[in-house]
Amino acid sequence: MFEDFVDSFLNLDIIRRAMPILWRGLLQTLLLAAIVVPLGLLHGMAIALLSRASSRWVRWPLAVWTDTFRALPPLVLLIFLYAGLPFLGVDLGPWGAVALAFFLNTGSYYGEVLRAGLDSVPPGQMEAARALGLRPALALWLVVIPQAVRNVLPDLVSNTLEVVKLTSIASVVAVPELLFQARQAQSVTYNASPIVAAALAYFIILWPVVRLLSRLENRAVLTARG
Amino acid sequence: MGGLDGFAFTFLNAKVMAEWLPKIAEGFVLTVALAALIVVAGLALGLGLAVLRAMGLRVLNWGIVFFVDLFRALPPLVIIVLLYFGLPGMGISLSGFWATWLSLSLVLAAFSEEIFWAGITATPKGQWDAGKALGLRFLPILFRIVLPQAVRMVVPPLTNRTIAITKGTALASVVGVAEILGAAQSAMAFSGNPSPLTLGAIAYALLFLPVVGAGRWIERHVTIPGR
């Protein structure tokens, strides 16, 4: 029983042979994260700023826009962009489809978090910055946004953790990231050890983030109690 | 065929949609069943672990914290793929449906344990002392005084997280389950037209927009005002 387990999940010989392509996959995963996190933040900041507009002609379409992308499972959106759009003659390719899907999906979540952050900054901060002679855009950038980000930092980190984990769905559209390479190795060797190795890699990279989050969240609970 | 006609023919083709509607409807039922089973198992296990953690046994708590950390750090799709392709090597074979159910239930259990636990620790210490002063023992205090307050405190993050994880049911399509996305993808392959995907997207919207609405309703009616 134990030998079966080691043989099918922790087969070091197979892991050693799969190591080069797993390593390449890991680098692609990191690259993917480095692309989609800033894209999502950019979209999210745009949503957060627009949602402060006073006109309902801005706010209502914006709510529909974000609710749509929050209601759709990310994989559905990705398949739609990857497999559906080519029928219209628009072929984004795997990377393009992944980038656009993450821009739309994760942007909606970042938007919600950042909006809560902006709401948490007292209006007096903006007024004071303006009184000091800063132009609106500069006051926003130098005074309001830094405070907003700090106030919702745990949520931003938590969201970013989810985004990095979510990059694994890019394997479904054949982006050669970590999970894709692990599945390739698994299908060649008929052994799950490469997938265990990939899981271990995710865990090693993301565990510190989970620990950090746990501490940030506990601190939030403690300060809320006063 | 003009641009708009072309778009309608491609993505809103009534003939293709009518033909594949029954398959998508079957997928819809499967998605709902899978999601319901995940919510029940995940929340029950999460609450159970939080209760165990409240007992304060150090070694056990390390185990629980490690379990939570593990399933918060691993991508759900990695867990699904691992269980689906890995377990047969040990002579245990799980169908795609049950592999997805087990994976997402464990993930939901990990997240909900953390949330329930936050609620328990945020309940003022005086509530425990008052319970003891009334002569209640540990479990009655936990279940009749602390948890009712703790659970109501954490309803908003709990509903958000539950909804997010049940959306992961779409990942089951990767291991061959014909839930909404799986059914829509095979329909698209057979018909050579992406309209079934549109239908699938509509099915998800029909499913999750009311769920989001219900979540807001629960938040309004269950949370303790002023907390």
Side-chain angles (χ1 to χ4, degrees):
Chain A
M1 187 65 187
F2 183 70
E3 274 170 27
D4 279 354
F5 177 81
V6 170
D7 200 44
S8 53
F9 285 102
L10 297 166
N11 193 316
L12 289 180
D13 187 42
I14 286 178
I15 292 178
R16 196 162 40 232
R17 276 191 287 149
M19 217 52 197
I21 74 161
L22 289 179
W23 180 247
R24 277 207 302 277
L26 180 60
L27 292 180
Q28 294 282 303
T29 290
L30 295 176
L31 177 65
L32 205 52
I35 292 170
V36 298
V37 170
L39 278 177
L41 279 170
L42 208 65
H43 184 208
M45 192 47 94
I47 289 173
L49 290 174
L50 280 174
S51 69
R52 292 162 73 77
S54 50
S55 162
R56 79 175 77 143
W57 296 106
V58 177
R59 286 207 321 260
W60 280 63
L62 197 66
V64 173
W65 173 259
T66 52
D67 276 3
T68 306
F69 295 118
R70 285 157 59 100
L72 276 184
L75 184 58
V76 176
L77 184 60
L78 176 58
I79 300 286
F80 200 93
L81 296 175
Y82 178 73
L85 283 187
F87 285 94
L88 276 183
V90 183
D91 193 348
L92 297 172
W95 283 87
V98 168
L100 185 56
F102 274 75
F103 174 77
L104 295 172
N105 174 270
T106 65
S108 309
Y109 286 94
Y110 276 128
E112 196 83 348
V113 173
L114 289 170
R115 190 172 54 129
L118 290 179
D119 285 348
S120 73
V121 179
Q125 293 291 324
M126 186 66 174
E127 287 158 15
R130 298 277 287 130
L132 287 173
L134 289 179
R135 275 173 297 155
L138 212 53
L140 204 59
W141 180 245
L142 292 177
V143 177
V144 178
I145 290 180
Q147 297 184 63
V149 166
R150 207 184 54 193
N151 289 348
V152 291
L153 197 58
D155 287 339
L156 279 179
V157 176
S158 156
N159 208 28
T160 305
L161 171 68
E162 294 305 311
V163 175
V164 175
K165 282 157 62 181
L166 199 60
T167 58
S168 58
I169 68 171
S171 65
V172 179
V173 296
V175 171
E177 47 70 79
L178 185 52
L179 179 58
F180 180 86
Q181 300 289 28
R183 286 187 63 186
Q184 293 289 96
Q186 178 263 338
S187 64
V188 173
T189 56
Y190 295 105
N191 187 293
S193 302
I195 301 176
V196 174
L200 200 63
Y202 279 110
F203 186 67
I204 291 171
I205 294 172
L206 296 177
W207 196 24
V209 184
V210 172
R211 283 280 91 228
L212 172 76
L213 257 180
S214 208
R215 285 179 55 190
L216 284 175
E217 282 161 1
N218 283 341
R219 211 171 59 192
V221 168
L222 289 178
T223 47
R225 285 162 80 191
Chain B
M1 203 154 42
L4 199 60
D5 284 348
F7 181 84
F9 180 82
T10 308
F11 286 101
L12 299 164
N13 192 317
K15 191 165 155 287
V16 176
M17 281 186 172
E19 190 185 341
W20 294 97
L21 185 62
K23 278 271 175 261
I24 308 279
E26 281 171 29
F28 186 85
V29 173
L30 212 53
T31 294
V32 171
L34 183 54
L37 290 169
I38 290 166
V39 171
V40 171
L43 292 182
L45 182 58
L47 183 60
L49 288 174
V51 167
L52 282 179
R53 193 169 167 187
M55 296 185 175
L57 305 169
R58 186 177 293 178
V59 179
L60 185 65
N61 285 5
W62 285 341
I64 293 172
V65 170
F66 182 73
F67 168 84
V68 169
D69 281 6
L70 183 64
F71 286 99
R72 277 181 79 174
L74 290 184
L77 185 57
V78 172
I79 305 168
I80 293 171
V81 166
L82 186 58
L83 292 184
Y84 183 73
F85 292 107
L87 286 184
M90 286 190 67
I92 307 166
S93 195
L94 280 181
S95 68
F97 183 91
W98 291 109
T100 309
W101 170 77
L102 183 57
S103 308
L104 294 182
S105 296
L106 291 172
V107 172
L108 180 56
F111 276 98
S112 64
E113 190 281 335
E114 195 74 353
I115 294 171
F116 284 126
W117 178 245
I120 292 174
T121 52
T123 307
K125 199 123 186 52
Q127 299 287 326
W128 288 95
D129 298 338
K132 268 183 223 145
L134 288 172
L136 293 176
R137 264 179 299 190
F138 177 78
L139 283 180
I141 298 176
L142 183 62
F143 279 98
R144 299 178 61 179
I145 299 177
V146 174
L147 277 180
Q149 302 178 64
V151 170
R152 290 173 71 177
M153 229 182 299
V154 297
V155 163
L158 201 58
T159 45
N160 281 338
R161 189 55 73 176
T162 305
I163 292 169
I165 290 170
T166 46
K167 266 189 281 182
T169 52
L171 299 174
S173 64
V174 176
V175 288
V177 180
E179 46 65 73
I180 298 175
L181 179 59
Q185 275 183 290
S186 57
M188 179 171 72
F190 277 116
S191 62
N193 181 294
S195 297
L197 263 187
T198 312
L199 215 50
I202 295 171
Y204 277 109
L206 279 179
L207 182 58
F208 282 109
L209 288 178
V211 170
V212 171
R216 292 212 180 103
W217 188 88
I218 294 173
E219 278 176 30
R220 262 206 320 279
H221 286 79
V222 177
T223 37
I224 305 168
R227 274 266 176 89

